[in-house]
Amino acid sequence: QVHLAESGGGLVQAGGSLGLSCVASGSIFRFDSMAWYRQAPGKQRELVAVILRGDDINYSDSVKGRFTISENRARNTWYLRMDNLKPEDTAVYYCNANVMLMSGAMGDYWGQGTQVTVSS
């Protein structure tokens, strides 16, 4: 089994910055993707940023140029640096990983979520 533990988030004024981190533990052979999603009240969960197995990185249009995803694969950890935050970035942020386990099985796992609130 795989467990994802998030940290970071909190309350910040518009224009400020915050960082999130996610550490994965368990019988992981390889990461196929490391990602951040978010879900605002009354809205569907949406992809914010993702690092794919070939090191391709994709961002949602709403965060491009303001957020940066990075990873330390040796430590099974990935990060989301959020700059120039806007009130519309307020949401619960979730980390997600698609992995191959030591058994050869594939799995998709989620963190518990962390609140990010941006005041105007």
Side-chain angles (χ1 to χ4, degrees), residues 4-78:
L4 304 187
E6 300 175 18
S7 59
L11 173 65
V12 66
Q13 288 189 329
S17 298
L18 282 175
L20 306 178
S21 63
C22 185
V23 180
S25 59
S27 300
I28 300 169
F29 175 74
R30 153 192 105 213
F31 286 91
D32 279 10
S33 66
M34 299 169 160
W36 291 96
Y37 286 73
R38 68 185 181 187
Q39 187 166 19
K43 294 188 176 181
Q44 289 190 332
R45 192 172 297 189
E46 63 173 353
L47 177 67
V48 175
V50 59
I51 301 175
L52 300 172
R53 188 179 163 200
D55 292 332
D56 288 338
I57 293 177
N58 294 317
Y59 295 96
S60 71
D61 288 342
S62 61
V63 307
K64 204 171 292 184
R66 300 187 297 121
F67 289 13
T68 304
I69 188 171
S70 61
E71 50 88 6
N72 184 333
R73 209 157 296 209
R75 296 189 175 186
N76 288 355
T77 302
W78 57 108

Side-chain angles (χ1 to χ4, degrees), residues 84-96:
N84 190 20
L85 282 159
K86 303 176 181 180
E88 51 263 42
D89 294 318
T90 296
V92 177
Y93 284 70
Y94 298 89
C95 61
N96 168 267

